[in-house]
Each structure stands twice: as structure tokens, then as C-alpha cells.
Amino acid sequence: MTTRLAVIGCGQWGQNHVRTLKEIGALAAIADGNAERASALSQRFEVPARTVDEVLADPGIAGVVLALPPRLHGPTARAAFRAGKDVLIEKPIGLDLADAQETARVAKAEGRLLMVGHVLRFHPVFEALDALVREGRIGTVRHIVSTRLGLGRFLGMDAVWDLAPHDLSLVLHMAGGAPDAVDTLRRTVLSDETDAADIALRFPGGLTGEIHVSRISPYRDRRFSVIGTKGMITFDDLAPEGQKLAFYGHEVWRDGSHFAFRGADADYQPTEPGLPLDRELRHFLHCIETRQEPRTGSAEAVETVRILNLASPRAAPA
């Protein structure tokens, strides 16, 4: 592996990037504000711990992965672009639309790649679902539902900003464009921020979507469903292997002045193995080497921040 990356920000998720890049053979350095953590990771993964300035000044480092508090993503990414680095930024890339747009503008002006870490776009089960929908297995797509429920993660951001970016990325990809209307019902229950929310999206042409997120649910639910005119398909991330992708040949049709329907049992679809983060990072490396625009590029990154601000205007700094 000749393309080398550095990870800036080595908290819980940043460490996953460090470990995965080490396994790939593309890890050049790490940087973290916590000197003790940086030293421990440096020894564990046998990689230099450097300052951010040292990373950006190193010509042997082609790109950086930013896993920082979101308020730091924009300024750090822009400095990296100006230093000639390509950047993968963990979601969200910023906390307001103007900051996100400026980050995208600088990336373009400097001729650098900006990729946002929407890791579920690289999940092999989602990729299989996407392929089935594109080939017309469920007919015309009419509605999309994404659910992300569980307990925990009270880390200075509300549930919309912490959880919904994953789902927004999937919905935006399936819809093929930006929504023209966003309506949100938010609820503060056990903390001082939004703990649960329902986001309704309307797209040009009549396609609709809904996203349900909660960090106060007594049970976990990670499902993504696409409803079409000839059937429905669901990606259940918590289902056993072999049952994560299910096609339902449900049908609904007009019968005179009424509607009739026919249900069908789940038809589980084959999927490939693979870890989403490994696939995401290998895609970023491929884009650096080929100058191909990332699948989760600047347009999607900015649009996600725009919708998040509409869905939850009071974003707490993280």
C-alpha cells in the first residue's frame, strides 16, 4: 500500500479508523489532543503520534481522516485541503450550513477530494438492496422508511444530529436527490436535548420518506425499508446473517371503488460478506489514487447538514 493516511481525532470511532487503516496497511500517523491516548495508540499500532500541523506538513501523507468534535471538522478540513491533502470527514462535516458550504468550496478550489463518513452506504447488505431496487425488483419506489432506535449516547449532541445522518445518507441516495419539504416532530424526554424525533421528507415527483430516531428506546431497531409498486424490501441490520435482506412480494391494487392487497412471506436475499468501514476506507484510498469523486462526496455532505438544520435547528456544539 503506497497511499498513506493519517487519522486526526482518536476517540471511540477514530480508533476504529486507526485499527482498520493499520490492517489495510495505509496508516501513516495519528494525531489526538489527548497526549496519553495518542501515546498509547502509537505504541499499540506502531505508528507515529504527531501534531496536526506535523501531519499536514508531511508530503508523504496523501490524505487524512477527521474524527473530531463536529465544530472542529470544518476548520481542520479546510487547513488540510490548503495543505494539499484529501479528506474523509466523519459525519456531520459541520454544525451549520454556511460552514459546510465553505468546506466544500475550499475543497473544490484546492482541487482536493472531500468524502463524508456515511459508513452504511458501504454496507454490503445496503449495496445489495440498492441493486435490487435499481433493477426494478419492487417496481417504482414510492416510500422509504428508516428506523434507528436504542439506548444511550448522550455526548453533547441531540438525537437528530447524532443518529439521523446515517439514515439521511441512505434515504437521499435512494431518492436520487434533495427533498423539497422537511417536517420534524422532536421530543425531549430524559435529557436537555432532543431524545427522539420523527422526520418526514417529501421529494419532487411525490416520493416520500420517514426517519425515526431515538436514544431512549428500551429496545434496539435498525431497519431500512423501501416500498414500491410491486413489492417491498427491508435491510435489518440486527437480523441474523442470511436474514438481513428480505424481499416481500406484497401487492396493493385498486379493486373497483376499494383497494385490495395480498401479503407474502419474507424472501431472504443473498448478500456478500464485508465490513462497512473497511470498504469505506478502501473506497477513499481508491478515490485518492484515481481522482474519482467519492460516492459520499461534498454535495451529499452539505445536503445532509442542510436537512439536519431544518430538522433540528438548535444544534448543540459537540
Side-chain angles (χ1 to χ4, degrees):
M1 177 65 66
T2 57
T3 302
R4 308 283 284 172
L5 305 180
V7 177
I8 300 176
C10 300
Q12 181 180 4
W13 189 244
Q15 290 181 40
N16 291 331
H17 281 286
V18 171
R19 183 186 66 253
T20 304
L21 286 173
K22 180 66 176 182
E23 292 170 351
I24 292 173
L27 184 64
I30 60 170
D32 192 86
N34 184 319
E36 184 176 342
R37 178 164 59 199
S39 176
L41 289 172
S42 174
Q43 294 180 42
R44 177 182 172 188
F45 292 100
E46 300 178 324
V47 64
R50 298 179 175 176
T51 66
V52 172
D53 288 342
E54 289 172 340
V55 167
L56 299 188
D58 187 340
I61 296 175
V64 296
V65 175
L66 302 185
L68 296 162
R71 71 178 185 275
L72 301 177
H73 279 161
T76 309
R78 295 191 289 269
F81 294 139
R82 292 179 176 122
K85 312 298 184 189
D86 297 312
V87 184
L88 189 161
I89 313 176
E90 269 307 324
K91 55 83 184 171
I93 69 166
L95 293 175
D96 67 76
L97 182 57
D99 182 61
Q101 290 173 328
E102 178 63 6
T103 299
R105 186 196 69 77
V106 173
K108 183 177 180 180
E110 298 294 332
R112 310 316 307 174
L113 298 176
L114 187 166
M115 178 172 167
V116 62
H118 288 155
V119 69
L120 288 182
R121 286 280 300 282
F122 299 88
H123 198 299
V125 177
F126 176 76
E127 291 180 339
L129 178 151
D130 185 37
L132 289 171
V133 172
R134 303 296 169 191
E135 71 184 30
R137 181 70 179 273
I138 63 171
T140 302
V141 176
R142 300 297 299 272
H143 189 62
I144 306 166
V145 184
S146 195
T147 304
R148 187 168 305 277
L149 312 178
L151 178 65
R153 286 186 62 93
F154 297 86
L155 302 176
M157 299 184 75
D158 72 18
V160 170
W161 281 82
D162 185 30
L163 302 177
H166 292 293
D167 308 280
L168 279 171
S169 174
L170 303 184
V171 173
L172 288 174
H173 176 72
M174 296 305 307
D180 53 22
V182 179
D183 297 305
T184 311
L185 175 62
R186 295 183 290 146
R187 294 171 290 278
T188 297
V189 182
L190 298 178
S191 74
D192 296 326
E193 292 286 346
T194 298
D195 293 318
D198 300 305
I199 304 170
L201 306 168
R202 187 181 69 240
F203 295 87
L207 174 66
T208 55
E210 56 185 287
I211 295 173
H212 309 284
V213 294
S214 174
R215 62 186 182 188
I216 55 164
S217 173
Y219 58 88
R220 297 177 69 214
D221 192 349
R222 303 283 190 277
R223 280 181 289 184
F224 180 83
S225 300
V226 185
I227 292 85
T229 55
K230 296 181 180 179
M232 309 175 187
I233 192 164
T234 293
F235 165 25
D236 185 346
D237 202 13
L238 301 182
E241 291 298 328
Q243 298 181 21
K244 290 183 179 293
L245 185 60
F247 168 76
Y248 297 89
H250 301 332
E251 294 181 82
V252 179
W253 66 93
R254 183 180 292 277
D255 185 6
S257 60
H258 304 284
F259 282 90
F261 73 94
R262 179 186 300 112
D265 293 333
D267 180 7
Y268 296 111
Q269 304 294 300
T271 59
E272 296 180 358
L275 298 175
L277 184 58
D278 178 87
R279 295 161 71 102
E280 176 187 69
L281 288 170
R282 288 183 186 275
H283 176 71
F284 183 47
L285 289 163
H286 175 75
C287 290
I288 291 175
E289 292 162 1
T290 63
R291 309 316 296 167
Q292 171 186 322
E293 180 67 19
R295 283 158 52 186
T296 54
S298 59
E300 179 173 305
V302 171
E303 179 60 19
T304 300
V305 173
R306 184 187 77 87
I307 296 173
L308 289 171
N309 273 287
L310 291 173
S312 185
R314 189 169 67 89

